Amino acid sequence: MLNELRIDRASKVRTKAGNALGFTLIELLIVIVIMGLLMSLVAPAMFSKVDSTKVKTAQLQLEMFRTSLEAYRLDLGTYPSALEELRNSSKSGWDGPYLPKSIPLDPWGNQYRYRVPGDDGRPFTLSSLGQDGQLGGSDDAADIVYIE
């Protein structure tokens, strides 16, 4: 009888311990639903930050190009006819490279646009076509133009 009592007590202890340490399927489902609701509220805000970060990256890269173009102009007296001349040129007085790495693409994977002479009587125009890769656009697809 004493052995039977020990077995019953042990099984009761295990059962209580098993219930206390685990979660039921309903509890897990409730947590998953709550997490899904939170993610549906937070995710749109986070993805909009990614787009604004790309615009800021493009603006900073355009500023980097401007600094390199000015250094080139100080050394040679004129602006280069293409951005590639900031990395490699055979012109006399060239003291580059004026960019530490190869010419980057804009954050959307497109080439930056560079024109000499620039628009509105400016010496040059630097721009990115934005997310859509086409002239014009609005919001995230708007062109990003460096204006001094």
Side-chain angles (χ1 to χ4, degrees):
M1 174 107 172
L2 189 57
N3 285 338
E4 290 176 18
L5 183 59
R6 285 185 186 166
I7 292 172
D8 286 340
R9 278 182 141 177
S11 64
K12 285 183 183 176
V13 171
R14 281 191 207 133
T15 304
K16 286 181 182 176
N19 286 342
L21 296 177
F23 294 104
T24 65
L25 182 59
I26 302 248
E27 290 170 330
L28 289 174
L29 288 174
I30 290 171
V31 169
I32 290 171
V33 167
I34 291 171
M35 288 175 61
L37 289 171
L38 288 174
M39 290 303 292
S40 68
L41 296 173
V42 172
M46 294 307 290
F47 288 123
S48 70
K49 297 282 185 203
V50 170
D51 290 332
S52 67
T53 301
K54 286 185 176 183
V55 170
K56 289 178 185 173
T57 300
Q59 290 169 338
L60 288 171
Q61 286 180 331
L62 289 173
E63 179 65 30
M64 175 191 66
F65 285 140
R66 186 203 61 83
T67 302
S68 299
L69 289 166
E70 291 299 330
Y72 182 99
R73 184 187 61 81
L74 288 172
D75 286 347
L76 283 96
T78 62
Y79 289 101
S81 57
L83 288 176
E84 289 76 22
E85 290 181 35
L86 295 172
R87 291 284 304 151
N88 208 358
S89 179
S90 59
K91 293 183 178 180
S92 71
W94 189 83
D95 193 26
Y98 298 94
L99 288 173
K101 296 181 181 178
S102 63
I103 297 167
L105 298 175
D106 71 9
W108 299 278
N110 303 314
Q111 296 284 334
Y112 282 101
R113 298 182 58 183
Y114 170 69
R115 287 189 308 278
V116 175
D119 300 334
D120 301 325
R122 291 187 172 91
F124 61 87
T125 298
L126 280 168
S127 63
S128 166
L129 296 177
Q131 183 180 24
D132 64 354
Q134 306 210 358
L135 281 173
S138 60
D139 299 324
D140 294 333
D143 295 347
I144 301 161
V145 180
Y146 177 79
I147 298 174
E148 198 166 328

